[in-house]
Amino acid sequence: MSAAPLSPVPPLPSFRGRIGCDAGSGYYATARRYRLHLSTSCPDCLRIAITHSLLGAGEALPVTLLPAVPDAPGDGYTALRDLYEAASHHHPGPATAPVLSDTWTGRVVSTHTLDILSDLVRHFGAHAPGGNALCPPGAEAEVEAVGRLCEQGVNDAAQRAGRAGADATERRDALAGLLRTLGSLEWRLAHQEFLLDDGPSAADVHLWATLVQLDTVHRLHLDADAVHRVAGHPHLWAYARRLAAHPAFGRHLDLDGIARRHHARCRGLEAAGAAVQILDWAAHAAKAEPAGFMEPQHAVHPRPSGSA
């Protein structure tokens, strides 16, 4: 495969509707009004799926699973096109996931991952066991800081460290930044089981999905020495193993789907690190209970006749 530049900065989400607390908000919280459309081969969708499970929101908020590899241009899904068209006539962009849809109108509510996650926690997890612990009061800034660390210190740094078109100095500096970030996380997890509290939080969801991406995607473009250095954080990867065995985490891990999605999109060069797997994700995820609350990949539920 030929070399490729870094992935471009993703465009702003097309839809950012929010679920409110009362009927006057338009989109108000009520059981089974909304539906999530997710492909768990996508890191953002994986985070939403894990959060949905941790909140025990399966009855209140159904989920439709989409194929691992998008079937329309621009990483879009044919099955989502009607929802996008209902929300925006002749919608010009791709019909991408994740999507939170309103089954009463057949329209997209939101495609913004952070807003969807926030509304999940605020409106669908209040009565779930441990639901409020996903974002403990006063921890919002720390959750956001972990998110920035994951995106900039791990994802972006790992991409730059494995970029085929970059010079050796750029790759070396990016790898050093990645290792500094992993080292700070290693130190933190040497002293506690989770990032914020005594149980999984939104910060753990983000970090775990990031570590999955690091080992199953970014590793493929690093040299073997770099992968060994990335793997040399025993507390961090022990943490990843523990969460892989957690029912809300490991049962959503679609390793084959992640691989197929990556190879369908990637134009970069595979490096020697591809042969040095850090974790046996399949073995650890196999300890998690099987998923049973998601619908298989279907066409999207149609809009009710006569709706606006």
Side-chain angles (χ1 to χ4, degrees), residues 52-75:
H52 181 272
S53 287
L54 287 169
L55 295 172
E59 286 299 318
L61 182 59
V63 175
T64 294
L65 284 178
L66 298 165
V69 181
D71 62 349
D75 283 343

mmCIF file of all heavy atoms in Angstrom, residues 52-75:
data_model
loop_
_atom_site.group_PDB
_atom_site.id
_atom_site.type_symbol
_atom_site.label_atom_id
_atom_site.label_comp_id
_atom_site.label_asym_id
_atom_site.label_seq_id
_atom_site.Cartn_x
_atom_site.Cartn_y
_atom_site.Cartn_z
ATOM 1 N N HIS A 52 -23.553 2.799 27.003
ATOM 2 C CA HIS A 52 -24.927 2.307 26.981
ATOM 3 C C HIS A 52 -25.061 1.068 27.868
ATOM 4 O O HIS A 52 -26.017 0.934 28.639
ATOM 5 C CB HIS A 52 -25.301 2.004 25.531
ATOM 6 C CG HIS A 52 -26.685 1.520 25.303
ATOM 7 N ND1 HIS A 52 -27.032 0.187 25.372
ATOM 8 C CD2 HIS A 52 -27.832 2.186 24.989
ATOM 9 C CE1 HIS A 52 -28.315 0.052 25.095
ATOM 10 N NE2 HIS A 52 -28.827 1.252 24.862
ATOM 11 N N SER A 53 -24.097 0.161 27.793
ATOM 12 C CA SER A 53 -24.137 -1.054 28.619
ATOM 13 C C SER A 53 -23.914 -0.742 30.093
ATOM 14 O O SER A 53 -24.588 -1.289 30.968
ATOM 15 C CB SER A 53 -23.083 -2.057 28.139
ATOM 16 O OG SER A 53 -23.463 -2.639 26.920
ATOM 17 N N LEU A 54 -22.933 0.116 30.386
ATOM 18 C CA LEU A 54 -22.662 0.467 31.779
ATOM 19 C C LEU A 54 -23.869 1.119 32.444
ATOM 20 O O LEU A 54 -24.097 0.949 33.647
ATOM 21 C CB LEU A 54 -21.463 1.410 31.860
ATOM 22 C CG LEU A 54 -20.087 0.784 31.597
ATOM 23 C CD1 LEU A 54 -19.033 1.872 31.451
ATOM 24 C CD2 LEU A 54 -19.712 -0.181 32.717
ATOM 25 N N LEU A 55 -24.659 1.846 31.664
ATOM 26 C CA LEU A 55 -25.840 2.507 32.197
ATOM 27 C C LEU A 55 -27.041 1.582 32.292
ATOM 28 O O LEU A 55 -28.061 1.956 32.872
ATOM 29 C CB LEU A 55 -26.197 3.722 31.321
ATOM 30 C CG LEU A 55 -25.185 4.856 31.296
ATOM 31 C CD1 LEU A 55 -25.573 5.893 30.251
ATOM 32 C CD2 LEU A 55 -25.079 5.498 32.671
ATOM 33 N N GLY A 56 -26.962 0.408 31.703
ATOM 34 C CA GLY A 56 -28.108 -0.493 31.695
ATOM 35 C C GLY A 56 -29.290 0.087 30.936
ATOM 36 O O GLY A 56 -30.446 -0.056 31.344
ATOM 37 N N ALA A 57 -29.005 0.752 29.806
ATOM 38 C CA ALA A 57 -30.028 1.506 29.079
ATOM 39 C C ALA A 57 -30.674 0.720 27.947
ATOM 40 O O ALA A 57 -31.356 1.301 27.104
ATOM 41 C CB ALA A 57 -29.413 2.790 28.520
ATOM 42 N N GLY A 58 -30.503 -0.604 27.920
ATOM 43 C CA GLY A 58 -30.986 -1.390 26.788
ATOM 44 C C GLY A 58 -32.470 -1.314 26.547
ATOM 45 O O GLY A 58 -32.917 -1.265 25.402
ATOM 46 N N GLU A 59 -33.268 -1.302 27.603
ATOM 47 C CA GLU A 59 -34.721 -1.250 27.434
ATOM 48 C C GLU A 59 -35.189 0.141 27.048
ATOM 49 O O GLU A 59 -36.088 0.301 26.231
ATOM 50 C CB GLU A 59 -35.408 -1.689 28.736
ATOM 51 C CG GLU A 59 -35.335 -3.180 29.009
ATOM 52 C CD GLU A 59 -36.009 -3.996 27.916
ATOM 53 O OE1 GLU A 59 -37.106 -3.589 27.460
ATOM 54 O OE2 GLU A 59 -35.453 -5.021 27.498
ATOM 55 N N ALA A 60 -34.599 1.158 27.644
ATOM 56 C CA ALA A 60 -35.047 2.529 27.413
ATOM 57 C C ALA A 60 -34.575 3.082 26.078
ATOM 58 O O ALA A 60 -35.241 3.926 25.482
ATOM 59 C CB ALA A 60 -34.571 3.434 28.547
ATOM 60 N N LEU A 61 -33.424 2.603 25.607
ATOM 61 C CA LEU A 61 -32.819 3.167 24.396
ATOM 62 C C LEU A 61 -32.278 2.038 23.529
ATOM 63 O O LEU A 61 -31.138 1.604 23.700
ATOM 64 C CB LEU A 61 -31.699 4.131 24.784
ATOM 65 C CG LEU A 61 -30.961 4.856 23.658
ATOM 66 C CD1 LEU A 61 -31.929 5.694 22.824
ATOM 67 C CD2 LEU A 61 -29.864 5.747 24.228
ATOM 68 N N PRO A 62 -33.092 1.527 22.591
ATOM 69 C CA PRO A 62 -32.643 0.411 21.740
ATOM 70 C C PRO A 62 -31.477 0.816 20.844
ATOM 71 O O PRO A 62 -31.239 1.992 20.575
ATOM 72 C CB PRO A 62 -33.892 0.087 20.904
ATOM 73 C CG PRO A 62 -35.035 0.710 21.629
ATOM 74 C CD PRO A 62 -34.477 1.909 22.321
ATOM 75 N N VAL A 63 -30.759 -0.207 20.397
ATOM 76 C CA VAL A 63 -29.582 -0.008 19.544
ATOM 77 C C VAL A 63 -29.717 -0.870 18.296
ATOM 78 O O VAL A 63 -30.102 -2.033 18.371
ATOM 79 C CB VAL A 63 -28.284 -0.389 20.286
ATOM 80 C CG1 VAL A 63 -27.078 -0.292 19.361
ATOM 81 C CG2 VAL A 63 -28.083 0.486 21.512
ATOM 82 N N THR A 64 -29.402 -0.305 17.150
ATOM 83 C CA THR A 64 -29.278 -1.054 15.905
ATOM 84 C C THR A 64 -27.811 -1.082 15.505
ATOM 85 O O THR A 64 -27.162 -0.037 15.426
ATOM 86 C CB THR A 64 -30.110 -0.410 14.780
ATOM 87 O OG1 THR A 64 -31.494 -0.521 15.094
ATOM 88 C CG2 THR A 64 -29.852 -1.113 13.453
ATOM 89 N N LEU A 65 -27.287 -2.276 15.281
ATOM 90 C CA LEU A 65 -25.900 -2.424 14.859
ATOM 91 C C LEU A 65 -25.781 -2.305 13.348
ATOM 92 O O LEU A 65 -26.580 -2.881 12.605
ATOM 93 C CB LEU A 65 -25.354 -3.778 15.308
ATOM 94 C CG LEU A 65 -25.001 -3.914 16.787
ATOM 95 C CD1 LEU A 65 -24.512 -5.323 17.078
ATOM 96 C CD2 LEU A 65 -23.944 -2.902 17.186
ATOM 97 N N LEU A 66 -24.775 -1.574 12.921
ATOM 98 C CA LEU A 66 -24.476 -1.397 11.510
ATOM 99 C C LEU A 66 -23.272 -2.256 11.133
ATOM 100 O O LEU A 66 -22.507 -2.684 11.999
ATOM 101 C CB LEU A 66 -24.159 0.074 11.241
ATOM 102 C CG LEU A 66 -25.302 1.054 11.521
ATOM 103 C CD1 LEU A 66 -24.755 2.474 11.583
ATOM 104 C CD2 LEU A 66 -26.384 0.932 10.464
ATOM 105 N N PRO A 67 -23.062 -2.510 9.848
ATOM 106 C CA PRO A 67 -21.895 -3.299 9.435
ATOM 107 C C PRO A 67 -20.584 -2.649 9.843
ATOM 108 O O PRO A 67 -20.502 -1.435 10.047
ATOM 109 C CB PRO A 67 -22.034 -3.345 7.904
ATOM 110 C CG PRO A 67 -23.477 -3.079 7.637
ATOM 111 C CD PRO A 67 -23.925 -2.151 8.712
ATOM 112 N N ALA A 68 -19.555 -3.464 9.971
ATOM 113 C CA ALA A 68 -18.242 -2.962 10.376
ATOM 114 C C ALA A 68 -17.672 -1.990 9.347
ATOM 115 O O ALA A 68 -17.036 -0.990 9.702
ATOM 116 C CB ALA A 68 -17.280 -4.129 10.587
ATOM 117 N N VAL A 69 -17.876 -2.272 8.078
ATOM 118 C CA VAL A 69 -17.316 -1.442 7.010
ATOM 119 C C VAL A 69 -18.447 -0.661 6.340
ATOM 120 O O VAL A 69 -19.413 -1.254 5.851
ATOM 121 C CB VAL A 69 -16.591 -2.307 5.954
ATOM 122 C CG1 VAL A 69 -15.992 -1.426 4.864
ATOM 123 C CG2 VAL A 69 -15.507 -3.152 6.619
ATOM 124 N N PRO A 70 -18.378 0.676 6.324
ATOM 125 C CA PRO A 70 -19.411 1.474 5.666
ATOM 126 C C PRO A 70 -19.578 1.074 4.209
ATOM 127 O O PRO A 70 -18.607 0.698 3.536
ATOM 128 C CB PRO A 70 -18.885 2.910 5.806
ATOM 129 C CG PRO A 70 -18.002 2.870 7.015
ATOM 130 C CD PRO A 70 -17.350 1.519 6.982
ATOM 131 N N ASP A 71 -20.804 1.158 3.717
ATOM 132 C CA ASP A 71 -21.094 0.700 2.362
ATOM 133 C C ASP A 71 -21.425 1.838 1.406
ATOM 134 O O ASP A 71 -21.917 1.608 0.308
ATOM 135 C CB ASP A 71 -22.246 -0.315 2.378
ATOM 136 C CG ASP A 71 -23.550 0.282 2.897
ATOM 137 O OD1 ASP A 71 -23.516 1.414 3.439
ATOM 138 O OD2 ASP A 71 -24.588 -0.394 2.791
ATOM 139 N N ALA A 72 -21.197 3.076 1.829
ATOM 140 C CA ALA A 72 -21.476 4.234 0.981
ATOM 141 C C ALA A 72 -20.279 5.186 1.022
ATOM 142 O O ALA A 72 -19.448 5.112 1.932
ATOM 143 C CB ALA A 72 -22.746 4.939 1.463
ATOM 144 N N PRO A 73 -20.154 6.073 0.047
ATOM 145 C CA PRO A 73 -19.002 6.983 0.009
ATOM 146 C C PRO A 73 -18.888 7.832 1.278
ATOM 147 O O PRO A 73 -19.882 8.121 1.941
ATOM 148 C CB PRO A 73 -19.292 7.858 -1.217
ATOM 149 C CG PRO A 73 -20.197 7.028 -2.077
ATOM 150 C CD PRO A 73 -21.033 6.228 -1.125
ATOM 151 N N GLY A 74 -17.647 8.222 1.597
ATOM 152 C CA GLY A 74 -17.417 9.090 2.739
ATOM 153 C C GLY A 74 -17.640 8.417 4.067
ATOM 154 O O GLY A 74 -18.012 9.068 5.045
ATOM 155 N N ASP A 75 -17.413 7.102 4.125
ATOM 156 C CA ASP A 75 -17.659 6.329 5.348
ATOM 157 C C ASP A 75 -19.125 6.382 5.756
ATOM 158 O O ASP A 75 -19.462 6.356 6.948
ATOM 159 C CB ASP A 75 -16.778 6.825 6.512
ATOM 160 C CG ASP A 75 -15.340 6.342 6.379
ATOM 161 O OD1 ASP A 75 -15.110 5.395 5.612
ATOM 162 O OD2 ASP A 75 -14.460 6.913 7.036
#
